[in-house]
Amino acid sequence: EIVLTQSPGTLSLSPGERATLSCRASQSVSSNYLAWYQQKPGQAPRLLIYGASSRTPDFPDRFSGSGSGTDFTLTISRLEPEDFAVYYCQQYGSSPYTFGQGTTLEIK
Amino acid sequence: QVQLQESGPGLVKPSQTLSLTCTVSGGSISTSNYYWSWIRQHPGKGLEWIGYIYYVGSTYYNPSLKSRVTISVDTSKNQFSLKLSSVTAADTAVYYCARVPRKYDLLTGYSANYFDNWGQGTLVTVSS
């Protein structure tokens, strides 16, 4: 089973700042089958990034994903108030499909 | 726009079987393009993939839950269901159903992609 470790656990930033979230895998994620999700309180997660770097149309281009192998990054270039949420990474390269424990992005 | 909606009892007694149904609207469950999955989230915790099903009935389960999980599909009702047996307090969680695009790899054949469309989730509490 691939274990995904996200860091930091909590990130405190102000609107307008840049956010960098990390997801590290215990073994290489095949074909960069790595997704990111955004979850707000009381809501289901929403797919944000797939294939490590492909952004879904629901999200603006201030969100970007990068990385390969075992190290992946989600970057939010300029934080807007609606971006403060919990972000999860997930690998779908091998079963069982696993999620990271999440990074909480909170307003400073 | 495809929508998914979970339904089922919010309270289950220990040792009993948890049963949930996901109703898919706005599109057919009988499509070759998708699997249909269950995922759960323990209170205040992360996400755990439970398993998924293809509309013809093929199933794939998380080994950690495989001995207790059954996922089935009813194409006539455009629904798929989850049964989790012998539940304990550790099974208290929000249960989500989700749609999963299928992907094809020359080496491994068909398998699941990311979860691209989620239901709103339903909280199931295991308690006597």
Side-chain angles (χ1 to χ4, degrees):
Chain A
E1 173 175 323
I2 296 179
V3 176
L4 299 178
T5 302
Q6 292 185 241
S7 61
T10 301
L11 186 56
S12 300
L13 293 170
S14 300
E17 291 192 291
R18 180 184 185 90
T20 303
L21 287 66
S22 173
C23 176
R24 179 162 291 179
S26 60
Q27 55 188 279
S28 184
V29 177
S30 66
S31 302
N32 293 334
Y33 287 143
L34 192 287
W36 290 92
Y37 301 83
Q38 179 193 71
Q39 186 177 35
K40 295 184 176 179
Q43 297 183 16
R46 292 172 64 202
L47 178 66
L48 166 58
I49 298 281
Y50 60 94
S53 60
S54 296
R55 190 184 66 252
T56 63
D58 288 349
F59 288 88
D61 61 6
R62 64 178 180 272
F63 290 89
S64 63
S66 63
S68 64
T70 60
D71 289 299
F72 299 88
T73 300
L74 174 68
T75 301
I76 311 171
S77 59
R78 293 174 310 279
L79 286 165
E80 297 287 342
E82 62 268 25
D83 300 337
F84 292 91
V86 181
Y87 292 85
Y88 293 96
C89 59
Q90 178 239 336
Q91 66 81 21
Y92 50 98
S94 62
S95 182
Y97 309 107
T98 51
F99 293 84
Q101 83 281 15
T103 290
T104 299
L105 180 54
E106 65 176 25
I107 300 177
K108 188 174 182 179
Chain B
Q1 176 81 358
V2 172
Q3 292 187 314
L4 295 87
Q5 178 69 59
E6 305 88 351
S7 60
L11 181 64
V12 180
K13 288 182 167 48
S15 81
Q16 293 190 342
T17 296
L18 178 160
S19 296
L20 295 174
T21 296
C22 182
T23 300
V24 179
S25 59
S28 175
I29 203 170
S30 302
T31 170
S32 62
N33 295 325
Y34 298 102
Y35 295 117
W36 305 92
S37 186
W38 289 97
I39 300 143
R40 69 181 182 179
Q41 185 170 32
H42 295 100
K45 300 283 179 64
L47 297 150
E48 180 181 29
W49 169 67
I50 298 171
Y52 61 80
I53 191 165
Y54 190 43
Y55 78 96
V56 298
S58 313
T59 52
Y60 309 85
Y61 300 136
N62 189 325
S64 68
L65 295 167
K66 186 175 182 178
S67 63
R68 298 194 293 130
V69 171
T70 302
I71 298 176
S72 59
V73 64
D74 186 337
T75 55
S76 67
K77 295 181 179 179
N78 228 34
Q79 295 175 334
F80 63 106
S81 298
L82 169 70
K83 290 189 186 299
L84 182 64
S85 63
S86 305
V87 297
T88 69
D91 294 308
T92 293
V94 175
Y95 286 77
Y96 295 100
C97 57
R99 188 181 73 173
V100 190
R102 296 176 80 211
K103 67 180 188 298
Y104 182 78
D105 184 279
L106 279 174
L107 291 176
T108 58
Y110 283 101
S111 62
N113 249 318
Y114 40 81
F115 306 99
D116 74 344
N117 194 335
W118 298 59
Q120 65 184 26
T122 187
L123 174 63
V124 179
T125 302
V126 179
S127 175
S128 54

